[in-house]
Amino acid sequence: MTDDLDRLKAALDAATPQHDPKRKAENLALARKNFAERQGSEDSVRQSSDRPVTGLFRGLKNMISQMNPRGALVATTALVAVGLVITLPEREMRVPVVPVDFSQQERTQTTTRNEEQPARVEPAQAQQAQTEEDTSLGSSLSSSVLDNSFAPLSRQATGLRTLNEYAPAMLPAPMPEPGWAREADSEAFANAPQNTLRITSEDPVSTFSVDVDTASYAIVRSFLRRGQLPSPDAVRIEEMVNYFTYNYEAPGVGDAPFRPSVSVMPTPWNADTKLVRIALQGERPAIASRPPLNLVFLIDTSGSMQAPDKLPLLKQALGLILPQLTEADEVAIVAYAGTAGEVLAPTSADEVATIRTALSRLEAGGGTAGEAGLREAYALAEAMTEEGEVSRVLLATDGDFNVGLSDPKELKTYIADRRDNGIYLSVLGFGRGNLDDATMQALAQNGNGVAGYIDTLAEAQKVLVDQFSGALYPIANDVKVQVEFNPAQIAEYRLIGYETRSLLREDFNNDRVDAGDIGAGHQVTALYEVTPVGSPARLTDELRYGDQSVSSTSEELGYVSLRYKQPGEPESALIEQPIDPSVPGDDEARFAAAIAGFGQLLTGGLYLSDWGYSEVIALANETRGDDPYGYRAEAVQLMRLAQSLAEQP
């Protein structure tokens, strides 16, 4: 019996090919050569903004995690169908026992061999199969179903080639450089049809909610820097105008939490109309006197967040907040991918090293269980909150909610049911490709918070450091604006922007209707283009049987009313003032008009006649004024870039 075993062992040893270092080196060289040719890099060093990631399985993990769910499903299914067999020096790897059909001629033979015993494939045969079948590898995969059994295999025993031998056929298409827009058609932007012209005698009242979000401007900038004109749906003009800081007068001590001001000036693009600017300036309370802050970072770590301008940038951006906090503040972290969980328990904000370490350990991969993440973050914020404190969930995501609640209407209902407990929700968007701006807007608008888009670390500095108080500390809730125009003075009007913030006339006095919130130091700017009675710019005809009862001799162009609630208060307060045509606009108002004109050009310029990019650039340059951080100069550069892109054939 022992002799039989010895003979069997000797036969198996003889049938097993010996390790061939020379052949291995040749295979590696061939794989590298084919890889370089397919990538177009040849022998030159390829530029990369990230450190190289080595290791087969780490690379496969990163590649799959960067895909959207459909792409990842296709890729992983293909890998399972193919099976990977890797021969390492002096050791074997346990892999699924899966035969692969490499050629039409061997299909019957492969089936027979698997039923009977493993058959050896000579290197020459493998090389021939590689030459003939590499171009059709995807169509020649076996349809065998895997079980959970694993066994030590050699490539000769199954007829499979080593990774080195069929690497050229497995190489994916070249990946775009960092900052790519993967599946751009999956992006969803929140907007509504452009505001139309209103006839004052028929519809003299305009009502809208304030908006302090700035996401749209940063998204437009991202488009332009990629050499593309933005989708019109991505352009929300009020967010472009409100991106900039203006020199508005702040409220006095004991006054309302914000100060309104109204001015009137000629319209840059139409000499026969006027622009009415309504401006709000929030109070700037001393940082030392602010209440303690409970801040819950809700971080998307799904596979779509793998790109350098997503999770890596996100971790850097959130780190900028920490020096702005005090020992009275607390920070907690919840992460969500396929599931959600607490990453950092409530921790004093002065334990900066602990918080940074928790952030640094986050990695992307898996689905996007947004609903579970929201539930976990809200529960944690509620547990952290004590009397007199401010609690805010800061959601950082690319907006892709594909597990749980994913419909903006469902999200709106879910968030609205939870905002009355005093916990605010703000949203920071990262990256492009599957950016779900519509979901982000639904979350922020209904969570008593703000929405921003972070495309660079400089933008993170602006939003999370320069505007820190406004982003995190509310001073007025449910702020609404209502303007009644005087039909004796104004024939027509239109609100520029605020399409997604429109309210019904009766909503103004209804304290149950939610509206936008203003944070400490926040500013709000709104622009109306109005057509005076008798102006040749009027676009509609007077009605033959129109109302002849208007006999007002007042020179007021209209009347502005504002409602707001003190944080935590159920009833609103009212502020009112007339639109006095004798109060002129200044360069601050004219720069806002330039940005509004820029936004209108990006959305078609329906009301701009022949006023174009040259005029908007000239106006912005003339009115840049004090620009310590260069944001206005950057806007001019973006205008010039948009002009060049618009003039391309």
Side-chain angles (χ1 to χ4, degrees):
M1 185 69 177
T2 303
D3 292 340
D4 290 339
L5 290 174
D6 290 341
R7 283 195 296 273
L8 178 59
K9 181 177 182 300
L12 290 173
D13 290 340
T16 302
Q18 298 300 310
H19 174 59
D20 186 352
K22 180 179 178 181
R23 180 59 185 275
K24 176 184 175 183
E26 292 174 351
N27 288 336
L28 284 171
L30 178 61
R32 292 192 185 102
K33 177 176 179 296
N34 288 328
F35 182 87
E37 290 176 351
R38 288 173 180 256
Q39 295 295 312
S41 59
E42 299 182 352
D43 295 329
S44 60
V45 178
R46 301 180 68 221
Q47 298 291 333
S48 174
S49 64
D50 200 0
R51 63 181 179 85
V53 178
T54 60
L56 170 64
F57 293 106
R58 178 66 181 272
L60 288 173
K61 172 182 177 294
N62 288 344
M63 179 185 75
I64 293 171
S65 66
Q66 290 172 8
M67 298 178 178
N68 59 44
R70 290 173 294 177
L73 179 61
V74 173
T76 51
T77 303
L79 288 176
V80 169
V82 175
L84 295 179
V85 179
I86 306 172
T87 303
L88 300 177
E90 301 180 359
R91 62 183 294 186
E92 293 176 317
M93 186 171 192
R94 302 181 69 84
V95 296
V97 184
V98 185
V100 180
D101 186 1
F102 285 107
S103 67
Q104 297 288 342
Q105 297 176 353
E106 291 186 348
R107 284 184 179 174
T108 304
Q109 298 175 10
T110 302
T111 304
T112 303
R113 289 168 183 168
N114 282 299
E115 291 175 353
E116 298 176 356
Q117 63 180 8
R120 176 173 176 172
V121 177
E122 297 296 335
Q125 292 176 295
Q127 184 66 30
Q128 181 180 0
Q130 175 181 345
T131 304
E132 295 175 351
E133 299 299 323
D134 277 349
T135 56
S136 59
L137 180 62
S139 63
S140 63
L141 299 178
S142 170
S143 60
S144 301
V145 179
L146 289 177
D147 59 17
N148 292 324
S149 61
F150 287 78
L153 299 176
S154 66
R155 66 184 180 92
Q156 288 83 1
T158 60
L160 296 180
R161 281 172 263 159
T162 64
L163 180 65
N164 292 329
E165 288 179 303
Y166 79 84
M170 291 186 63
L171 290 176
M175 296 293 288
E177 292 299 318
W180 58 87
R182 211 180 274 112
E183 271 201 277
D185 59 353
S186 69
E187 293 187 331
F189 297 103
N191 217 327
Q194 187 174 359
N195 287 328
T196 57
L197 200 68
R198 301 289 184 179
I199 301 174
T200 308
S201 61
E202 298 175 1
D203 187 11
V205 179
S206 171
T207 310
F208 64 94
S209 163
V210 299
D211 186 5
V212 294
D213 295 343
T214 60
S216 181
Y217 180 86
I219 292 171
V220 166
R221 179 177 60 201
S222 176
F223 267 106
L224 293 172
R225 286 180 172 174
R226 295 168 190 270
Q228 296 175 287
L229 287 171
S231 164
D233 285 343
V235 181
R236 291 186 292 272
I237 295 176
E238 74 279 6
E239 293 185 19
M240 296 182 66
V241 172
N242 286 321
Y243 181 84
F244 299 91
T245 300
Y246 301 95
N247 186 23
Y248 296 157
E249 186 175 354
V253 177
D255 292 343
F258 58 86
R259 179 186 179 93
S261 59
V262 183
S263 62
V264 182
M265 65 182 183
T267 303
W269 50 85
N270 192 331
D272 295 315
T273 64
K274 297 182 181 298
L275 278 186
V276 174
R277 181 197 65 179
I278 300 172
L280 309 181
Q281 173 64 63
E283 64 181 356
R284 301 183 180 92
I287 296 298
S289 63
R290 67 169 174 78
L293 172 67
N294 300 306
L295 187 59
V296 180
F297 293 156
L298 175 55
I299 301 176
D300 183 351
T301 56
S302 63
S304 63
M305 293 291 291
Q306 182 69 35
D309 59 350
K310 294 188 179 183
L311 185 58
L313 176 60
L314 182 159
K315 291 190 284 188
Q316 289 181 299
L318 294 184
L320 295 177
I321 296 179
L322 302 181
Q324 316 303 314
L325 304 177
T326 70
E327 61 181 8
D329 304 324
E330 281 194 318
V331 174
I333 301 176
V334 173
Y336 67 91
T339 58
E342 181 182 291
V343 174
L344 178 69
T347 302
S348 176
D350 63 352
E351 297 183 32
V352 175
T354 301
I355 300 171
R356 289 189 184 277
T357 298
L359 285 171
S360 68
R361 290 176 177 171
L362 296 174
E363 291 190 2
T368 317
E371 177 188 1
L374 283 170
R375 292 184 187 277
E376 183 86 14
Y378 270 116
L380 192 56
E382 288 175 2
M384 296 167 67
T385 304
E386 297 183 4
E387 186 70 25
E389 296 181 344
V390 174
S391 293
R392 185 178 295 269
V393 174
L394 186 57
L395 169 60
T397 177
D398 61 1
D400 185 12
F401 277 49
N402 58 32
V403 178
L405 293 175
S406 57
D407 181 79
K409 291 183 179 179
E410 293 182 29
L411 285 168
K412 175 179 178 179
T413 301
Y414 177 81
I415 298 300
D417 289 343
R418 287 154 181 81
R419 68 182 174 222
D420 294 335
N421 59 6
I423 297 176
Y424 297 84
L425 173 67
S426 292
V427 184
L428 298 178
F430 289 82
R432 294 288 306 281
N434 59 345
L435 178 68
D436 195 340
D437 174 71
T439 297
M440 291 167 51
Q441 290 291 316
L443 290 168
Q445 290 187 14
N446 294 281
N448 284 355
V450 297
Y453 174 72
I454 308 297
D455 56 342
T456 64
L457 199 57
E459 183 66 14
Q461 169 81 18
K462 178 181 185 294
V463 173
L464 300 176
V465 178
D466 299 343
Q467 300 173 344
F468 173 77
S469 295
L472 300 178
Y473 296 98
I475 59 171
N477 296 148
D478 294 340
V479 183
K480 307 169 188 175
V481 180
Q482 188 167 83
V483 181
E484 178 187 356
F485 287 101
N486 181 359
Q489 298 292 333
I490 301 300
E492 302 164 337
Y493 68 89
R494 68 181 181 96
L495 176 61
I496 302 175
Y498 290 92
E499 285 84 0
T500 65
R501 300 285 185 157
S502 177
L503 296 174
L504 298 175
R505 180 175 176 177
E506 59 267 28
D507 291 341
F508 182 74
N509 291 320
N510 187 348
D511 285 343
R512 299 184 63 183
V513 174
D514 184 59
D517 304 305
I518 295 179
H522 262 156
Q523 297 179 329
V524 178
T525 302
L527 296 170
Y528 282 93
E529 182 177 6
V530 300
T531 306
V533 169
S535 169
R538 182 167 182 170
L539 297 178
T540 59
D541 295 329
E542 292 189 36
L543 297 178
R544 179 180 179 87
Y545 303 106
D547 185 4
Q548 303 297 318
S549 64
V550 177
S551 58
S552 172
T553 59
S554 172
E555 294 184 354
E556 294 177 2
L557 301 187
Y559 204 67
V560 178
S561 302
L562 301 105
R563 282 198 175 275
Y564 71 96
K565 297 175 185 174
Q566 293 283 357
E569 295 295 326
E571 296 183 0
S572 64
L574 178 66
I575 300 175
E576 299 175 296
Q577 74 175 78
I579 302 175
D580 185 348
S582 66
V583 179
D586 53 12
D587 278 352
E588 296 289 273
R590 295 177 66 215
F591 182 82
I595 299 300
F598 181 31
Q600 291 176 88
L601 286 171
L602 293 174
T603 55
L606 179 62
Y607 296 99
L608 300 186
S609 186
D610 58 353
W611 198 76
Y613 282 105
S614 296
E615 288 77 15
V616 75
I617 291 169
L619 179 60
N621 267 323
E622 291 171 5
T623 58
R624 279 193 304 181
D626 188 25
D627 186 25
Y629 302 117
Y631 297 133
R632 297 189 178 192
E634 178 191 60
V636 174
Q637 293 301 318
L638 294 178
M639 293 172 184
R640 296 179 63 230
L641 182 55
Q643 180 182 30
S644 297
L645 293 171
E647 292 174 350
Q648 288 182 350

